[in-house]
Amino acid sequence: SKEDQWEIVAEEVISNMNTYWKPFAAFDKTTLSESDTRIRNFLNLDYSDRRTGNLIDLTVTGVDEGWFLLRLHGESISQIEGGDYREIETGAYLIHATQGHVTIQVEKSRGLLQYSNGVEETAE
């Protein structure tokens, strides 16, 4: 039939390739051996955490470095020792533990905490 012509079939295949074969900037490009190392590190990772007042103590064992997500509601990170961090959205942080012991100092966010459409926002 007309729908089975090569031009039509090729157009459908190419549209899928363009959609699903695009590189995603959020993901690292790794070789197979790098991926294997990351998976083994993830499986070896062990951690414990404790919060006392405004201090969060994180102990990481089994690997040289680790990555964690930390969500703080109405608070923000004021200081970190033993690693670094990046805010990925309001109140959510990607913690990169570069040492076996990480200390995170938190503080109340400035301004009033408001909810708009189910999303926390800080008003100045």
Side-chain angles (χ1 to χ4, degrees), residues 16 18 24 29 70 77 82 87 91 99 101 103 111 115 124:
N16 285 332
N18 288 338
F24 294 98
K29 295 176 184 167
L70 174 64
I77 295 176
E87 188 171 20
Q99 298 178 9
H101 184 78
T103 304
Y115 288 87
E124 293 296 325

Side-chain angles (χ1 to χ4, degrees), residues 7 20 33 38-39 42 47 49 62 74 77 79 96 101:
E7 295 85 13
Y20 298 110
S33 62
R38 288 184 181 194
I39 291 168
F42 174 76
Y47 73 95
D49 61 274
I77 295 176
Q79 184 178 347
H96 178 207
H101 184 78

Side-chain angles (χ1 to χ4, degrees), residues 28-30 33-43:
D28 289 339
K29 295 176 184 167
T30 62
S33 62
E34 289 171 331
S35 296
D36 178 64
T37 301
R38 288 184 181 194
I39 291 168
R40 289 178 189 277
N41 284 341
F42 174 76
L43 294 174

Side-chain angles (χ1 to χ4, degrees), residues 8-75:
I8 294 172
V9 173
E11 211 172 286
E12 289 180 18
V13 170
I14 289 172
S15 69
N16 285 332
M17 291 170 68
N18 288 338
T19 300
Y20 298 110
W21 284 9
K22 289 182 181 177
F24 294 98
F27 298 105
D28 289 339
K29 295 176 184 167
T30 62
T31 64
L32 185 57
S33 62
E34 289 171 331
S35 296
D36 178 64
T37 301
R38 288 184 181 194
I39 291 168
R40 289 178 189 277
N41 284 341
F42 174 76
L43 294 174
N44 285 331
L45 175 80
D46 192 18
Y47 73 95
S48 64
D49 61 274
R50 186 180 68 194
R51 179 166 181 168
T52 307
N54 291 335
L55 281 180
I56 299 172
D57 289 314
L58 176 64
T59 303
V60 181
T61 57
V63 294
D64 294 330
E65 63 181 359
W67 298 86
F68 300 88
L69 288 175
L70 174 64
R71 183 168 298 277
L72 299 171
H73 300 281
E75 296 177 314

